[in-house]
Amino acid sequence: MYAFDYHRPKSLRQAVNLLAKVEDAKLLAGGHTLLPTMKQRLAAPANIIDLNGIAELAGIERKGRAVVIGAMTRHADVAESPIVQEAIPALAELADQIGDPQVRNRGTIGGSIANNDPAADYPAACIALGATIITNKRKVPAEEFFTGLFETALEEGEIITRVSFPLPSKAAYMKFPNPASRYALVGVFVAKRGAEVRVAVTGAGADGVFRVGAMEEALKARFSPKSLEGIKVPSKGLNSDIHADADYRAHLIGVMARRAVANATGKA
Amino acid sequence: MATVSMTVNGKHVSADVEPRTLLVQFLREHLRLTGTHVGCDTSQCGACVVHLDGRAVKSCTTLALTCDGAEVVTIEGLAKDGRLHPMQEAFRDNHGLQCGFCTPGMIMSAIDIVRRKGHDLDEHTIREELEGNICRCTGYHNIVRAVAAGAQAMKGGEPLKKAAE
Ligand SMILES: Cc1cc2nc3c(=O)[nH]c(=O)nc-3n(C[C@H](O)[C@H](O)[C@H](O)COP(=O)(O)OP(=O)(O)OC[C@H]3O[C@@H](n4cnc5c(N)ncnc54)[C@H](O)[C@@H]3O)c2cc1C
Ligand code: FES
Ligand code: FES
């Protein structure tokens, strides 16, 4: 890891000012993506702005028909939160499947979303549940936030402060983890809210998280695993690597989606 | 250089470090607490696990400076008054180690499992919860037995410190 200067702001406002002032800065949240990347010298920021001293960025609250989670909230805290478990159990279950216990004790929702790893879990939940990503500057619908491989709509000087998840009437996440890394080989988040149904897939897309329109239409007509029978996801545009080729990933999307719907309707 | 202060195994420590110093380097190289190991340095193996404000974390993937003001417990901080911690004792009794390289991390993780999941742990739970700890020797069988026995032995001990919010 190359040398850098370290800053530890105590408030969001201080962090925003620092980010505007110091050159070549990176925000540090849980560090479970950034520090490994810096060790490999794939990133070498001149300045690190550590968000760990900013209490206002962590926490979970129920706000009307939504659950709002602070950017610095650790995966373990989302998994164990009685508020999340009651309002959106699928989201608590998703958080509980990220990496391993030590990763969950450090990693944060803000860091995961900002990073937009194509195999990360949270992006699928954000898209399927129709979340809003709240920054120090604006509110961005999840749909517009994830823009490609490790790419997001975040601009210079922008810090994620919170993520707001509207409550679904039914939802479930099914993940086929890579047995070594625990990242998703394929993960499917299915959510129903009113007449709207969304199916979001992570781990498979070469450009990151995406929706499966054909499945959503079928599920709108009837929300049942049976509705998905026969629907094939094209393997074009899916990842192929030593862990799984595109055809296998396409197949897994179907399997995981059916299981997710079964789980969401309580027929798992 | 920057100054970092924290409590390690109940003692207040303070030192000037380079900002890029990892918690594990601080523990091993500055404090000479070499019980915390580095197996992979890529956040996979769990040999470096310590407790940070009551929670198990990989100290190879945490900056020392991030821990300013925090409370850290390492494997050296578990034994009290010359007596091993019940989880350490359980690893010895159940032959839960061979070369011992992974053991400090296993034990720190095991105590965190008890904090979160309680004292009555079935085999499946233990295996799932040890996801972040790799052992190259034992085949895990005796580690799983040791964790179950250690969790039982910790009953009636001092209440586990709740992780800081
Ligand atoms: C062994 C291992 C297994 C893992 N398995 C999984 C898995 O199964 N599923 C999964 O989804 N993830 C997995 N992860 C990744 C883990 O969830 C990371 O913690 C997460 O991706 C990044 O979050 P972080 O808080 O650690 O962020 P950091 O590493 O601190 O930061 C990541 C990036 O986000 C930026 N950033 C951080 N916070 C903000 C903010 N508030 N606003 C704007 N930008 C910000 C940083 O500048 C940096 O560029 C794994 C990681 C490890 C080490
Ligand atoms: S040395 Fe930290 S996880 Fe392997
Ligand atoms: S006892 Fe040798 S690595 Fe676990």
Side-chain angles (χ1 to χ4, degrees):
Chain A
M1 202 188 302
Y2 288 111
F4 52 81
D5 287 331
Y6 176 86
H7 312 268
R8 193 181 171 88
K10 291 209 168 56
S11 67
L12 176 63
R13 179 200 284 252
Q14 276 180 15
V16 170
N17 289 343
L18 272 167
L19 200 50
K21 201 177 77 188
V22 300
E23 295 258 307
D24 186 21
K26 269 268 180 209
L27 301 168
L28 175 73
H32 272 55
T33 293
L34 184 57
L35 295 175
T37 319
M38 288 168 64
K39 285 184 184 182
Q40 290 175 294
R41 297 182 172 178
L42 295 172
N47 286 282
I48 285 286
I49 301 173
D50 189 345
L51 300 177
N52 284 281
I54 309 179
E56 64 191 286
L57 284 181
I60 299 172
E61 48 172 346
R62 174 79 185 261
K63 272 201 173 159
R65 299 292 299 159
V67 170
V68 182
I69 303 180
M72 284 300 291
T73 311
R74 317 275 171 193
H75 306 327
D77 291 323
V78 174
E80 287 163 18
S81 158
I83 297 176
V84 183
Q85 284 174 359
E86 202 231 285
I88 318 179
L91 188 61
E93 283 161 22
L94 174 147
D96 201 38
Q97 293 176 57
I98 296 176
D100 55 49
Q102 296 88 356
V103 170
R104 295 195 286 275
N105 279 340
R106 288 305 292 165
T108 67
I109 187 169
S112 176
I113 288 173
N115 193 51
N116 193 17
D117 188 302
D121 298 297
Y122 271 125
C126 291
I127 294 285
L129 292 167
T132 303
I133 319 296
I134 303 162
T135 76
N136 57 316
K137 292 184 178 160
R138 58 195 171 126
K139 295 181 176 180
V140 189
E143 202 78 353
E144 291 163 29
F145 184 83
F146 302 105
T147 51
L149 206 62
F150 296 105
E151 295 286 340
T152 69
L154 283 176
E155 290 164 3
E156 272 311 272
E158 203 166 11
I159 301 178
I160 301 173
T161 56
R162 280 165 295 157
V163 185
S164 174
F165 293 94
L167 265 52
S169 49
K170 289 179 180 152
Y173 180 61
M174 278 293 146
K175 173 177 180 178
F176 191 97
N178 176 320
S181 78
R182 315 311 299 168
Y183 273 96
L185 208 55
V186 166
V188 179
F189 202 112
V190 174
K192 179 171 170 29
R193 187 160 52 102
E196 171 90 356
V197 175
R198 286 191 179 192
V199 178
V201 177
T202 189
D207 291 326
V209 62
F210 65 93
R211 287 168 64 180
V212 187
M215 287 184 172
E216 293 179 354
E217 287 312 314
L219 291 169
K220 266 184 214 162
R222 182 158 169 256
F223 196 78
S224 152
K226 277 207 163 51
S227 308
L228 297 180
E229 273 166 24
I231 298 181
K232 291 247 182 305
V233 176
S235 53
K236 195 165 171 279
L238 299 188
N239 281 327
S240 270
D241 53 32
I242 54 165
H243 308 294
D245 64 18
D247 287 342
Y248 182 54
R249 278 192 163 89
H251 173 72
L252 274 183
I253 293 171
V255 177
M256 293 297 122
R258 287 194 296 276
R259 286 187 194 168
V261 176
N263 189 310
T265 50
K267 282 191 231 118
Chain B
M1 289 295 210
T3 306
V4 64
S5 306
M6 63 182 93
T7 305
V8 178
N9 300 333
K11 280 202 215 81
H12 182 78
V13 296
S14 190
D16 287 333
V17 297
E18 260 198 275
R20 62 178 159 176
T21 307
L22 299 166
L23 177 59
V24 71
Q25 293 172 317
F26 180 67
L27 295 170
R28 289 179 56 88
E29 293 163 25
H30 290 254
L31 304 180
R32 295 283 165 200
L33 292 171
T34 53
T36 302
H37 293 162
V38 177
C40 64
D41 198 29
T42 55
S43 57
Q44 322 288 323
C45 77
C48 64
V49 172
V50 301
H51 294 174
L52 173 61
D53 288 332
R55 291 174 163 211
V57 304
K58 291 175 174 170
S59 62
C60 74
T61 312
T62 308
L63 292 181
L65 282 170
T66 291
C67 308
D68 194 58
E71 200 169 309
V72 173
V73 177
T74 70
I75 190 76
E76 289 92 343
L78 293 183
K80 290 271 145 57
D81 309 320
R83 291 189 50 180
L84 291 181
H85 184 282
M87 192 58 82
Q88 291 175 301
E89 201 65 66
F91 269 70
R92 189 164 70 175
D93 291 347
N94 289 280
H95 200 62
L97 59 147
Q98 288 179 18
C99 80
F101 193 85
C102 69
T103 315
M106 286 286 177
I107 289 174
M108 300 314 283
S109 299
I111 295 170
D112 191 61
I113 299 174
V114 180
R115 170 181 72 82
R116 290 177 292 112
K117 303 274 166 181
H119 297 271
D120 300 312
L121 299 169
D122 59 42
E123 182 188 337
H124 180 74
T125 305
I126 296 171
R127 287 186 183 272
E128 289 261 294
E129 291 291 327
L130 287 179
E131 202 99 79
N133 293 83
I134 293 173
C135 175
R136 291 288 82 151
C137 304
T138 63
Y140 301 96
H141 185 73
N142 286 349
I143 291 179
V144 175
R145 288 177 42 183
V147 174
Q152 288 296 328
M154 284 168 68
K155 268 186 186 165
E158 53 192 280
L160 289 175
K161 216 177 93 58
K162 281 267 174 230
E165 287 304 306

